[in-house]
Structures are given as C-alpha cells and as structure tokens.
Amino acid sequence: MHPHIAEAMKQPDLVRVQPDLLCLRFETMKIYSALGAVRHLLDSGAVRPGDTLIDSSSGIYAQALALACHRYGLHCHIVGSTTVDRTLRVQLEILGVTLEQVEPSQNLRLDQELRVRRISEILEDNPSYHWMRQYHDEIHYYGYREVAGSLDREIPAGAVTLVGGVGSGASTGALATYLREAGRDVSVVGVQPFGSVTFGSEHVSDPDMIIAGIGSAIAFRNVRHALYDRIHWVNFECALSGSVELLRSTGIFAGLSSGAAYLTTLWERSRRGPRTYVFIAADTGHRYVDSAFAQHHRAHDIDALSPHEITSLDELRHPWSTASWPDVSASRHGS
C-alpha cells in the first residue's frame, strides 16, 4: 500500500515490446525526480515542512513538484509556460499551488528567459523560498537511482542501449550513471528536437515542433554531454509517426518524445549487435491528443523513414539526423 498518490504515480511499467526491446513507461516521469530532490532537501535540512519551493516548468515538472510538496507538507509556487494547459491548471489550483503563467512569447528562448526573470523577482521579495532549479541542480538525479536499480534487476545480463528524450538531462543522465555504477555496459542515445541549443541544433528551426519537455533554448548544467554516445534530432512529423506507430503496434499511448524515442530505438536496434534496448516513455499521450494524435493521418510508415548520418552539426537537416556525439563534439571543439 502506498502512503501517498505520488508514490503510486511514480512507479514505471517495464513493457516487453520485443524479446530484446523494452519500454520503460511512466505515467509522469518527473515525479521520481521531484520526490528524490525534495526528500534530499528535507533530510539535509535545506528546507523544512511548511517552506515554499519554487521553480519554472512547461507542465510535467509542475505537476511533479506540486505532488511532492503535497506529499511532504510544503508549499509550491510555479512560474509556468503557456504550455501549462487547463487540465493541469485546475489540478494545481486545487492542490493549493501558486501558479503564474508568463505572457505568450514568439520563441522558446524568450519564454524561458521570462520565466527565469520572474523567479528572480519573486525570490527578491521572498528570500526564504527555495528555488529548485530543475535544470541545473544535480539533486534531480537522485530519485532515479531506484529506477536504475529496478532496471538492473529486471533486464537480462549483458549490454544495454538506453534511449530517451533529453530535456533537463536528469532522467537519461541519471539512469545511465547508476546503471554504469552497477557494472552495466550501457550505450546512451539522446533524442532532441531541432532548434535546441543542448546538442547544437539551434540553427535549424522546426516551427511545427511541440514536444514539451525536451530540448532547450538555454544551456542546462544537468545535461552531462559526455554520457551520450549518439544523438538523434527528430522533427515533428517523425515524432508523430513514431508515436502513432507505438500506439498502433504496442497499445502504448505516450507523448511525442516517447514516439521519437521508439522510432530511433528501432533504427539503432537494426544496426547494432545483440543487446537489450530500453526506450523511455516519459508521459502519456493525453496532452497531445488535439495537437498531434488527431493528425494521425499525417503519420508516415516508419519503415520508410531513416536518418541522415552527419559528421558535423553544419550538416543537420530535416526530417531526421543522427550522429556519434563524441565524434561530432570533438570536431566541433577542434574547429
């Protein structure tokens, strides 16, 4: 029996899609991150019950932090993007969260800058608030140790390829770190949208991209670039195609980053030797029904899709590019 709904919601399901292909499916993944971070803050004495935690969010982390605060008797203040939808807003209101949404912006960079600026203003007026800094504070890695331990016990012995969208960097980074500490041979594949600075695609725009939670217009210190072996940059139509095929072929209804991860995992799997492949489905597909799944007629046959292999970030192009990150990174810094 769970002591709180957050403890139940955090639990992922490991689904066998093929004998060597597994989906690590979450209802909402960042609850693990938020619970682990808040427990650490309480245990270390950095915060106490009754204190207020504040952070910026495009949506998923807002719910996670709200539930973690509810679990441990803390107040929650969120500066949200315009992507925080009505369903989540109502939940946050009932949970007692103070929610502010910034004005609509012309681009993601401005949206993120407005949110950070607003947090700075709030902290000036309320210095006792604790800023969670989900994009920069490594305490957001801690909660995933339990997930990594469960994976290590459940998946077969041998080499593993872990595939997932890279947003704050905590999920793929933490799982890879803890699995490697357990002695696993782990290859890590990160999935990015075009237009993100995180892995250098900011010069290639994708106006249709609506994948919330991955990519960024500003640098995140929680992204440990050296952990990643390969990166795939995927546009909206490829992510949509992967999500639709994931639902059609497996019954798993998950978000766009999950569809992009599924698509890239299948490609990686077709080109590597025997090993176990695990891709992360970070959330359900409900928030993407109108903006993506309702357009399922636009989905392509994923067997007809393949990435453009690049050796330099100057070669990035739609709809899908991929590279060995260590090679591209070395070339980038050597130029």
Side-chain angles (χ1 to χ4, degrees):
M1 183 180 297
H2 300 289
H4 189 274
I5 187 61
E7 303 290 347
M9 290 176 65
K10 76 176 185 180
Q11 299 292 341
D13 300 304
L14 190 61
V15 181
R16 189 179 299 280
V17 175
Q18 297 287 339
D20 62 344
L21 177 57
L22 308 176
C23 175
L24 185 63
R25 184 258 186 201
F26 292 84
E27 181 175 346
T28 176
M29 183 181 66
K30 289 194 174 182
I31 290 182
Y32 249 119
S33 180
L35 284 172
V38 172
R39 277 198 306 266
H40 174 80
L41 291 171
L42 288 166
D43 291 345
S44 66
V47 300
R48 298 176 180 177
D51 285 352
T52 298
L53 308 185
I54 185 171
D55 212 347
S56 164
S57 175
S58 61
I60 297 174
Y61 185 75
Q63 181 189 31
L65 186 60
L67 288 170
C69 287
H70 190 274
R71 166 81 171 88
Y72 290 111
L74 296 153
H75 300 292
C76 182
H77 192 135
I78 296 292
V79 178
S81 170
T82 54
T83 57
V84 177
D85 60 24
R86 181 174 182 272
T87 300
L88 180 55
R89 284 200 307 272
V90 171
Q91 291 181 67
L92 296 178
E93 289 172 7
I94 294 171
L95 286 169
V97 174
T98 300
L99 172 66
E100 301 182 36
Q101 286 183 269
V102 297
E103 293 296 320
S105 303
Q106 294 180 337
N107 56 60
L108 178 59
R109 174 180 288 276
L110 182 57
D111 177 79
Q112 290 176 322
E113 289 176 349
L114 286 173
R115 283 187 271 149
V116 172
R117 187 183 311 157
R118 179 56 186 149
I119 286 177
S120 297
E121 293 171 353
I122 294 169
L123 290 172
E124 283 186 13
D125 294 334
N126 302 274
S128 65
Y129 285 12
H130 182 89
W131 186 8
M132 292 298 293
R133 300 169 73 246
Q134 63 151 322
Y135 306 127
H136 307 300
D137 195 327
E138 67 178 12
I139 63 173
H140 291 89
Y141 273 55
Y142 299 161
Y144 292 110
R145 183 182 292 275
E146 183 181 340
V147 185
S150 177
L151 271 178
D152 187 39
R153 291 189 298 272
E154 292 198 47
I155 61 180
V160 179
T161 293
L162 176 70
V163 185
V166 183
S168 71
S171 59
T172 48
L175 290 173
T177 297
Y178 296 138
L179 284 170
R180 287 170 177 169
E181 285 181 0
R184 286 279 185 166
D185 174 7
V186 181
S187 175
V188 187
V189 179
V191 179
Q192 282 279 280
F194 290 99
S196 168
V197 305
T198 306
F199 288 93
S201 67
E202 63 270 22
H203 60 290
V204 183
S205 65
D206 184 7
D208 291 331
M209 179 52 69
I210 54 170
I211 300 181
I214 70 170
S216 176
I218 59 178
F220 293 163
R221 288 198 296 274
N222 268 342
V223 178
R224 301 175 185 174
H225 293 79
L227 292 173
Y228 297 87
D229 299 284
R230 291 191 67 83
I231 299 296
H232 286 255
W233 295 266
V234 178
N235 75 2
F236 171 77
E237 289 205 352
C238 284
L240 170 65
S241 301
S243 298
V244 169
E245 183 57 33
L246 178 61
L247 178 57
R248 179 182 291 127
S249 62
T250 73
I252 297 171
F253 182 47
L256 285 176
S257 69
S258 309
Y262 179 57
L263 178 71
T264 58
T265 303
L266 292 177
W267 188 87
E268 291 285 338
R269 178 171 170 257
S270 69
R271 284 154 180 79
R272 298 291 297 271
R275 58 199 296 122
T276 300
Y277 294 83
V278 180
F279 69 95
I280 298 171
D283 62 350
T284 68
H286 294 86
R287 69 193 301 205
Y288 297 107
V289 170
D290 292 330
S291 58
F293 283 97
Q295 305 177 53
H296 60 85
H297 59 278
R298 291 178 56 184
H300 300 286
D301 177 357
I302 63 171
D303 291 334
L305 299 174
S306 62
H308 172 55
E309 184 81 35
I310 67 170
T311 57
S312 165
L313 294 175
D314 293 335
E315 301 169 2
L316 277 168
R317 70 187 189 200
H318 285 253
W320 177 9
S321 295
T322 187
S324 162
W325 180 249
D327 293 345
V328 169
S329 182
S331 172
R332 184 186 189 188
H333 290 101
S335 60

